[in-house]
Amino acid sequence: MAAAPIVRDLGRAEYLPTWQAMREFTARRDAGTADELWLVEHPPVFTLGQAGRREHLLDPGDTPVVATDRGGQVTYHGPGQVVAYTLIDLHRMGIFVRELVYRIEQAVIQTLDAAGIEGRRVRGAPGVYVSDPASRAAGALAGHAKIAALGIKVSRGRSYHGVALNVAMDLTPFSRIDPCGYAGLRTVDLATLGASLTWRAAADRLAERLAQHFTT
């Protein structure tokens, strides 16, 4: 059995120095370094994945835009959102990226379930979704809205970046992008769905579920 990850609460922290700290942690870790989960709430920022296309930034305005080294397209981070960074040694866990993504999504789905919300996966579109009859998204995402965005980077078999769960936030900035590169995809939060969970409660619940998935 792998040791439980160390959970670190970073509070409110700027995106750029947090990203740099993740990269430095991953670069210097060795086979004996404990895995960690970082919980953070970022000030408003749009982030682009490695293959992110700027045409999905419809109207960023004066919100900072940061091009990062994670997977995925464009997303938004802001107050009222729990961001959980998963710094995991995949070699030691004996898993690959697909299993890492599955476990992170499962932790989110279980967190939502505890709040009475049914989260679901959509094939080919990492992250967690909920049913949304008003959705204007096409294809497999039709009838869905996104509640958690996921983006990962793996270096020398060790992961960083992670998942962002929308708790109670201003969702307007999501209308100024194609969330995760999908035109017409609506983004929701727990508050929109009637769950009155605080940021702290959501963060603790998500961290507990993630820790379990990366201990067994």
Side-chain angles (χ1 to χ4, degrees):
M1 178 178 290
I6 296 168
V7 179
R8 300 194 187 278
D9 189 339
L10 307 186
R12 179 76 65 89
E14 294 286 344
Y15 182 84
L16 270 172
T18 307
W19 172 32
Q20 183 62 31
M22 283 191 288
R23 295 175 69 185
E24 291 174 355
F25 173 88
T26 303
R28 70 173 181 264
R29 66 181 302 177
D30 59 28
T33 304
D35 292 333
E36 297 194 3
L37 302 173
W38 294 2
L39 303 175
V40 63
E41 185 180 29
H42 289 307
V45 62
F46 293 115
T47 67
L48 281 168
Q50 257 184 328
R53 292 158 50 188
R54 288 193 171 263
E55 55 261 42
H56 294 305
L57 282 163
L58 306 179
D59 180 22
D62 58 2
T63 301
V65 177
V66 178
T68 79
D69 59 350
R70 63 165 172 78
Q73 287 285 332
V74 61
T75 194
Y76 169 75
H77 297 308
Q81 180 188 69
V82 174
V83 182
Y85 291 126
T86 52
L87 294 96
I88 306 297
D89 188 327
L90 304 189
H91 290 331
R92 188 166 58 209
M93 289 288 298
I95 64 175
F96 296 99
V97 176
R98 180 173 294 184
E99 178 66 17
L100 171 71
V101 169
Y102 180 89
R103 294 188 189 197
I104 294 172
E105 290 173 338
Q106 192 63 20
V108 174
I109 289 169
Q110 291 170 338
T111 300
L112 295 177
D113 183 66
I117 294 167
E118 181 186 358
R120 58 186 67 177
R121 296 178 179 85
V122 174
R123 183 182 295 273
V128 177
Y129 302 82
V130 296
S131 176
D132 178 20
S135 170
R136 296 184 293 109
L141 289 169
H144 292 85
K146 196 159 200 173
I147 194 166
L150 190 153
I152 296 296
K153 170 71 174 179
V154 175
S155 174
R156 298 180 299 117
R158 286 120 185 190
S159 71
Y160 58 105
H161 292 290
V163 66
L165 172 62
N166 305 330
V167 179
M169 57 189 305
D170 177 8
L171 295 168
T172 306
F174 287 103
S175 68
R176 293 164 30 211
I177 61 174
D178 292 329
C180 301
Y182 297 106
L185 178 62
R186 200 161 78 98
T187 304
V188 295
D189 60 10
L190 287 166
T192 302
L193 300 175
S196 57
L197 219 60
T198 64
W199 187 96
R200 177 78 273 151
D204 288 347
R205 187 171 295 173
L206 178 58
E208 186 272 330
R209 300 312 305 165
L210 285 167
Q212 182 178 55
H213 283 290
F214 292 116
T215 303
T216 58

